[in-house]
Amino acid sequence: MTTPEIKEAVEFEDIFLQDKIERRAYEQREKAIRDYYSYMSVFRRITTRSISASYTNCKKYAKR
């Protein structure tokens, strides 16, 4: 596990973590991605419930 590529990646990470501006930008990008997936998950649940409720109402009115 001491290949040159891994050593280079670890060195890059050490330098990256010391740069506060780059680290903050990275954290903000990661937060935006997490927020996006969270919002999409909620949207899917709301949409599914809405479609299900509409379908139930349609069935109820169709029986009349």
Side-chain angles (χ1 to χ4, degrees):
M1 287 287 206
T2 58
T3 62
E5 294 84 9
I6 293 175
K7 187 175 183 178
E8 181 181 350
V10 170
E11 288 173 2
F12 177 79
E13 182 181 30
D14 289 339
I15 293 168
F16 173 75
L17 292 176
Q18 292 174 5
D19 185 351
K20 291 180 181 179
I21 294 171
E22 285 297 320
R23 184 174 181 175
R24 176 81 171 142
Y26 168 78
E27 290 170 350
Q28 290 298 309
R29 286 191 303 271
E30 290 297 308
K31 182 181 182 308
I33 291 168
R34 286 191 305 272
D35 288 347
Y36 171 79
Y37 284 114
S38 176
Y39 296 146
M40 292 305 291
S41 175
V42 170
F43 178 75
R44 245 183 254 119
R45 275 186 271 148
I46 291 171
T47 304
T48 302
R49 286 184 196 151
S50 176
I51 291 170
S52 178
S54 296
Y55 178 71
T56 302
N57 288 335
C58 288
K59 283 181 20 181
K60 181 171 55 174
Y61 288 115
K63 290 181 181 180
R64 291 183 176 182

